[in-house]
């Protein structure tokens, strides 16, 4: 049987001893006895923390009953022995005395688990290892610690008693299962002590702070400061350890104060016709927290502005109401306004709070007269009339009214914009007359409309002026004769068929334009002999050659065209027809360039003969120049060799020759130079002649002959 004696070292000086006996007896089934060894099972060893005794301090002795027959060795293993933290517990290998070497700290390690071993001198295990549990007994050696030095909370003003505010928390490192770690809270002080010194209480176990009295008013006290104490040992003031923290409780605002106007009546004035102008500044007071919805004012007009000409936005900085004109006000209609305005907050008032009389005020607005511009009516003014009215014709009267009925002023008229300069206006009565003939086909008329701008000015101080537009719709008359279109056409000499289609252009509108009547003129007489004109429809006619062929060239065919106006207008216009030689596709060939230059076939043949004669002369001239050059070279070979040496050899070791020799040398040199220059001049004249001929042929359109000359 395992015997274990363990007594707290603080109570007795005797060290407990653990034996390893072999006393366990088991009765077999046949009635015989057998000794059985049991494993070590010992209760935990309790060791107080922070011990101040002498170290090492003995805890317990471990001994096996086999040490009577032989020498044994004891050892312990585990954290605190041979594992970190090493060396806290040691054992005497011979006596088995287990000791602690230094004070223990429960808040660091609350218990240790060791294992004891017993072996013989040869290291053979004689006992099974046993587990030893060492519990560190807690001492009240730690004060409570609050989680924050300063706690912040809030509660709305006007809160009823029992309203939750906030929770404070403290912790104690001592064992929470013992009184050492059991905390209790209490309020030590409250600042300010208004309206009561006990506005709050605290749950001593949970740390919850609640209100216990009514009367929280942010406008009087904005925040409270509480000193909270936490004590362990369940709050025992004698043995418990304490600590304190500060709690700041902010009283939040509710809308319990309505805005109140600083006066019963406000005054303002504004000029008529002005908009977005501040008329008056409305001021209020509000005791609630500034720049919060409970403080910000909202203004509204509840009477006196049925047409919605005013609005009152709020200045976010000053909380003033800015009475502003948003629609023009006419002095001649209304000279003053009496407005009733009301001020409320952005959020509703707290329950039980009502708007006082001071939340409503009166605003008196006076309208100031200004000199207004005269106004044309209607503007623009449309009129409809025919074009072609002669100068001096009266069109209409365009007048303006002066809105300033209470000012005796005179209105005068003038013209501002008249691009064609067709009209004039009487400066006194506004009568508009023409000073030129109206023409619908003028480039200043767009879509039959012609606009003229007039100005009306009064004689006020300062003068005011307004503008009006006269919008004239011009009706078309038949005042333009038609013209042939297109003005130029091309036709082949011998086409089949040899005809082109033509039409007419008329600036007038239907029915003063088409359908048109086309007719060839009677003169010159060869017109009707060479050409014929037939009607295709009301817009087109067909011109064709009446003879089998016509020489290439440019012909102007007179055609008389008549429109369909009420008073028809006729006009003879000339159609330019280019008759040319055509290829098998019916397109004019390059000969059209000669026809464009106005040359007939006979003229072209004459030009070609002249070119051939000129080419023969050029060839004769070139042959003569070559023959002359050969004769000069032959003469040069007959010159005396001595003269030739004299002319080309310069002797540097001789005196200069006499005057006669120098003159002779000069003459020879001049003769050679003159001969060369003459030959060069002749060639230059020849080149210039060729260039001139080439240019002339280019102008006449004979490019192929020009290329021949350039090649030569």
């Amino acid at each position: 049987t395992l015997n274990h004696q363990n007594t707290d070292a603080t109570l007795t000086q005797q060290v407990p001893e653990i034996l390893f006996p072999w006393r366990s007896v088991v009765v077999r089934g046949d009635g015989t006895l057998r000794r059985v060894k049991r494993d070590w099972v010992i209760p935990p060893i309790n060791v107080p923390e922070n011990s101040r005794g002498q170290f090492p301090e003995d805890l317990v002795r471990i001994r096996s009953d086999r040490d009577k027959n032989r020498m044994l060795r004891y050892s312990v293993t585990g954290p605190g022995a041979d594992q970190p933290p090493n060396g806290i517990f040691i054992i005497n290998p011979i006596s088995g005395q287990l000791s602690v070497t230094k004070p223990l700290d429960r808040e660091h390690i609350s218990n240790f688990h060791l294992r004891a071993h017993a072996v013989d001198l040869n290291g053979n295990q004689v006992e099974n290892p046993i587990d030893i549990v060492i519990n560190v007994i807690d001492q009240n050696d730690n004060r409570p610690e609050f989680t924050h030095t300063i706690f912040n909370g809030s509660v709305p003003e006007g809160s009823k008693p029992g309203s939750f505010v906030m929770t404070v928390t403290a912790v104690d490192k001592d064992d929470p299962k013992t009184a050492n770690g059991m905390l209790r809270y209490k309020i030590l002080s409250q600042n300010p002590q208004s309206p009561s010194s006990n506005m709050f209480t605290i749950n001593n176990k949970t740390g919850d702070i609640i209100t216990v009295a009514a009367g929280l008013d942010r406008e009087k006290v904005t925040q409270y400061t509480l000193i909270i104490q936490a004590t362990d040992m369940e709050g025992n003031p004698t043995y418990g350890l304490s600590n304190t923290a500060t709690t700041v409780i902010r009283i939040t605002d509710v809308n319990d104060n309505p805005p109140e106007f600083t006066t019963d009546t406000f005054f303002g004035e504004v000029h008529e016709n002005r908009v977005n102008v501040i008329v008056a500044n409305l001021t209020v007071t509000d005791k609630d927290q500034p720049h919060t919805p409970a403080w910000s004012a909202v203004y509204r007009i509840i009477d006196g502005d049925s047409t919605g000409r005013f609005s009152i936005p709020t200045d976010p900085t000053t909380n003033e109401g800015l009475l502003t004109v948003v629609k023009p006000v006419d002095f001649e209609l209304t000279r003053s306004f009496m407005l009733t305005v009301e001020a409320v907050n952005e959020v509703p008032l707290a329950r039980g709070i009502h708007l006082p009389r001071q939340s409503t005020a009166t605003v008196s607005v006076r309208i100031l007269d200004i000199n207004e511009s005269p106004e044309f009516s209607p503007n623009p003014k449309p009129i409809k009339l025919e074009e072609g009215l002669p100068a001096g014709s009266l069109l209409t009267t365009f007048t303006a009214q002066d809105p300033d009925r209470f000012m005796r002023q005179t209105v005068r008229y003038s013209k501002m914009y008249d691009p064609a300069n067709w009209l004039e206006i009487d400066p006194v009565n506004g009568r508009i007359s023409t000073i030129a003939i109206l023409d619908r086909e003028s480039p200043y008329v767009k879509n039959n409309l012609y606009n003229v701008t007039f100005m009306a000015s009064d004689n006020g101080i300062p003068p005011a002026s307004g503008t009006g537009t006269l919008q004239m719709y011009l009706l078309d008359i038949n005042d333009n004769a038609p013209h042939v279109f297109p003005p130029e056409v091309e036709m082949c000499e011998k086409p089949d068929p040899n005809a082109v289609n033509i039409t007419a252009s008329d600036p007038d509108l239907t029915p003063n334009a088409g359908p048109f009547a086309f007719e060839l003129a009677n003169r010159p007489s060869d017109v009707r002999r060479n050409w014929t004109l037939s009607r295709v429809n009301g817009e087109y006619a067909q011109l064709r050659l009446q003879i089998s062929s016509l020489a290439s060239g440019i012909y102007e065919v007179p055609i008389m065209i008549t429109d369909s106006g009420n008073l028809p207008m006729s006009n003879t216009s000339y159609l330019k027809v280019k008759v040319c030689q055509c290829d098998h596709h019916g397109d004019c060939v390059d000969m059209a360039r000669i026809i464009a230059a106005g040359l007939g076939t006979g003229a072209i043949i004459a030009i070609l003969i002249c070119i051939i004669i000129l080419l023969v002369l050029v060839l004769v001239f070139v042959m003569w120049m070559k023959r002359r050059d050969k004769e000069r070279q032959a003469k040069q070979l007959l010159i005396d060799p001595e003269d030739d040496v004299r002319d080309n050899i310069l002797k540097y070791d001789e005196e200069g020759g006499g005057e006669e020799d120098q003159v002779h040398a000069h003459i020879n040199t001049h003769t050679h130079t003159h001969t060369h220059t003459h030959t060069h001049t002749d060639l230059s004249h020849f080149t210039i002649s060729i260039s001139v001929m080439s240019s002339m042929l280019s102008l006449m359109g004979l490019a192929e002959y020009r290329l021949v000359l350039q090649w030569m």
Side-chain angles (χ1 to χ4, degrees):
T1 303
L2 175 64
N3 293 333
H4 170 238
Q5 298 177 359
N6 183 16
T7 305
D8 195 314
T10 58
L11 301 178
T12 178
Q13 297 296 327
Q14 182 179 359
V15 176
E17 183 178 84
I18 298 175
L19 298 177
F20 295 90
W22 290 83
R23 299 176 181 176
S24 298
V25 178
V26 176
V27 180
R28 297 179 179 177
D30 56 0
T32 60
L33 300 178
R34 184 175 64 88
R35 296 180 62 190
V36 178
K37 174 185 176 183
R38 295 193 311 171
D39 292 337
W40 297 354
V41 178
I42 60 176
I45 302 172
N46 296 325
V47 181
E49 66 172 335
N50 303 322
S51 174
R52 298 183 180 179
Q54 295 181 352
F55 294 96
E57 182 177 340
D58 295 337
L59 299 180
V60 68
R61 182 181 179 189
I62 299 174
R63 187 173 62 84
S64 173
D65 55 0
R66 292 188 176 186
D67 61 355
K68 298 178 181 178
N69 303 324
R70 50 182 167 174
M71 295 290 295
L72 300 180
R73 293 292 183 266
Y74 302 96
S75 64
V76 291
T77 60
D82 62 342
Q83 298 177 21
N86 302 70
I88 296 178
F89 300 97
I90 59 175
I91 189 170
N92 189 309
I94 297 175
S95 64
Q97 183 68 48
L98 180 65
S99 305
V100 59
T101 61
K102 59 182 179 180
L104 303 180
D105 185 358
R106 191 204 68 83
E107 288 70 41
H108 181 53
I109 300 177
S110 60
N111 54 67
F112 296 88
H113 292 265
L114 304 179
R115 174 161 286 194
H117 305 270
V119 297
D120 58 17
L121 295 180
N122 295 323
N124 298 318
Q125 178 178 311
V126 296
E127 300 285 358
N128 291 330
I130 61 172
D131 292 327
I132 301 175
V133 178
I134 300 175
N135 291 328
V136 182
I137 305 303
D138 184 43
Q139 304 292 324
N140 191 19
D141 58 344
N142 290 279
R143 291 180 178 275
E145 297 289 342
F146 282 95
T147 56
H148 298 88
T149 304
I150 299 178
F151 291 85
N152 292 285
S154 63
V155 63
E157 62 176 329
S159 296
K160 296 179 180 180
S163 299
F164 174 79
V165 180
M166 61 185 300
T167 300
V168 295
T169 304
V171 294
D172 195 317
K173 295 180 181 180
D174 291 325
D175 190 354
K177 297 180 181 179
T178 66
N180 297 335
M182 296 181 180
L183 307 182
R184 297 294 182 267
Y185 301 93
K186 72 175 181 178
I187 298 174
L188 296 182
S189 65
Q190 170 191 305
N191 183 41
Q193 298 182 358
S194 173
S196 170
S197 59
N198 295 312
M199 297 296 295
F200 305 93
T201 187
I202 188 170
N203 186 309
N204 65 346
K205 292 183 179 180
T206 64
D208 294 343
I209 299 176
I210 59 176
T211 60
V212 292
L216 293 175
D217 189 351
R218 190 206 66 83
E219 286 72 39
K220 295 179 180 179
V221 180
T222 58
Q223 71 178 27
Y224 290 89
T225 301
L226 307 180
I227 304 299
I228 309 297
Q229 183 185 62
T231 305
D232 59 15
M233 298 298 291
E234 298 181 291
N236 189 312
T238 303
Y239 304 106
L241 301 177
S242 301
N243 214 336
T244 60
T246 301
T247 300
V248 177
I249 301 175
R250 181 172 55 89
I251 309 302
T252 58
D253 189 35
V254 298
N255 193 16
D256 57 348
N257 292 281
E260 297 180 359
F261 285 101
T262 57
T263 182
D264 293 335
T265 305
F266 295 88
F267 298 91
E269 59 183 24
V270 64
H271 289 91
E272 63 174 333
N273 300 327
R274 299 287 179 85
V275 293
N276 298 324
V277 176
I278 297 176
V279 180
N281 289 53
L282 313 181
T283 55
V284 296
T285 58
D286 195 316
K287 297 178 182 179
D288 291 320
Q289 185 175 355
H291 306 292
T292 63
W295 173 83
S296 298
V298 178
Y299 301 86
R300 58 186 180 184
I301 301 172
I302 59 177
D303 190 26
D305 184 26
S306 59
T307 57
R309 299 185 180 275
F310 299 91
S311 69
I312 313 177
T314 303
D315 187 325
T317 303
T318 63
N319 210 28
E320 294 180 349
L322 308 177
L323 181 62
T324 306
V325 181
V326 294
K327 293 182 180 179
V329 180
D330 191 352
F331 173 82
E332 284 70 31
L333 297 178
T334 307
R335 298 191 178 188
S336 64
F337 289 85
M338 190 66 67
L339 308 177
T340 301
V341 298
E342 181 184 64
V344 296
N345 292 123
E346 291 183 356
V347 295
L349 288 170
R351 182 178 299 180
I353 307 297
H354 302 283
L355 280 176
R357 181 186 61 82
Q358 292 82 359
S359 294
T360 303
T362 301
V363 184
S364 177
V365 181
R366 186 165 65 96
I367 309 302
L368 304 178
D369 191 20
I370 62 172
N371 185 23
E372 300 176 82
S373 302
E375 297 177 355
F376 285 92
S377 181
N379 189 17
K381 181 177 182 178
I383 62 172
K384 185 180 293 186
L385 64 158
E386 286 187 347
E387 65 171 329
L389 287 180
S393 301
L394 178 63
L395 300 184
T396 185
T397 299
F398 197 17
T399 58
Q401 302 298 323
D402 193 343
D404 300 310
R405 295 179 299 177
F406 302 101
M407 298 182 183
R408 297 184 178 273
Q409 298 181 145
T410 303
V411 178
R412 292 291 182 265
Y413 303 96
S414 61
K415 184 174 65 174
M416 284 188 63
Y417 179 72
D418 182 10
N421 197 27
W422 286 344
L423 307 181
E424 66 178 0
I425 186 169
D426 189 292
V428 177
N429 55 33
R431 292 181 180 177
I432 299 174
S433 304
T434 62
I435 58 176
I437 297 176
L438 305 182
D439 184 8
R440 191 198 65 83
E441 290 75 33
S442 169
Y444 300 107
V445 178
K446 305 297 182 184
N447 298 323
N448 302 326
L449 292 177
Y450 181 73
N451 295 327
V452 184
T453 303
F454 298 96
M455 182 172 64
S457 304
D458 61 23
N459 59 348
I461 301 176
S465 61
T467 61
T469 300
L470 180 66
Q471 194 172 70
M472 297 190 301
Y473 186 88
L474 298 179
L475 302 175
D476 185 42
I477 64 173
N478 193 16
D479 58 346
N480 292 279
H483 294 268
V484 67
F485 185 85
E488 296 181 2
V489 295
E490 291 183 352
M491 184 179 293
C492 297
E493 285 182 345
K494 295 180 180 180
D496 186 21
N498 49 1
V500 293
N501 290 336
I502 61 172
T503 185
S505 66
D506 192 331
D508 293 326
L509 301 177
T510 304
N512 295 320
F516 301 99
F518 300 89
E519 185 181 1
L520 287 175
N522 294 324
R523 295 180 181 276
S525 59
D526 59 347
V527 172
R528 291 180 176 269
R529 185 173 62 251
N530 296 336
W531 309 91
T532 180
L533 187 64
S534 59
R535 182 178 184 274
V536 177
N537 52 41
E539 300 293 334
Y540 289 92
Q542 190 175 75
L543 179 69
R544 65 174 59 244
L545 282 173
Q546 189 163 315
I547 59 177
S548 60
S549 65
L550 189 65
S552 297
I554 297 178
Y555 299 86
E556 291 185 347
V557 181
I559 300 176
M560 185 173 65
I561 307 175
T562 304
D563 62 25
S564 299
N566 189 16
L567 296 176
M569 294 192 69
S570 299
N571 178 53
T572 300
S573 55
Y574 289 86
L575 175 65
K576 183 180 290 187
V577 182
K578 297 180 181 180
V579 179
C580 60
Q581 296 180 0
C582 298
D583 55 17
H584 63 283
H585 296 293
D587 298 327
C588 287
V589 296
D590 291 339
M591 207 54 117
R593 298 185 179 178
I594 301 177
I595 297 174
L599 298 178
T601 305
I604 295 174
I605 295 174
I607 291 174
L608 291 176
I609 293 174
C610 291
I611 291 174
I612 293 173
I613 295 173
L614 183 60
L615 290 175
V616 172
L617 292 176
V618 169
L619 290 174
V620 172
F621 178 76
V622 171
M623 293 175 63
W624 178 77
M625 288 296 299
K626 290 184 177 181
R627 181 177 180 182
R628 185 178 177 183
D629 187 51
K630 291 180 179 180
E631 290 177 354
R632 286 176 180 170
Q633 292 179 0
K635 290 180 181 181
Q636 187 68 24
L637 295 174
L638 299 176
I639 296 176
D640 188 353
E642 293 182 2
D643 295 336
D644 182 63
V645 173
R646 182 172 178 172
D647 290 337
N648 294 282
I649 297 177
L650 178 63
K651 298 180 179 179
Y652 289 95
D653 58 348
E654 289 185 355
E655 298 273 348
E659 182 178 357
E660 182 179 356
D661 293 338
Q662 294 179 5
V663 172
H664 180 72
H666 175 72
I667 292 173
N668 290 337
T669 304
H670 177 72
T671 301
H672 290 293
T673 305
H674 177 73
T675 301
H676 177 73
T677 304
H678 180 73
T679 303
H680 179 73
T681 303
D682 293 339
L683 292 175
S684 298
H685 290 166
F686 172 72
T687 303
I688 293 174
S689 300
I690 295 299
S691 300
V692 171
M693 291 175 60
S694 177
S695 300
M696 292 177 62
L697 292 175
S698 176
L699 292 175
M700 291 188 295
L702 301 177
E704 58 272 23
Y705 301 106
R706 176 172 170 264
L707 292 173
V708 171
L709 289 178
Q710 289 180 346
W711 176 80
M712 291 174 60

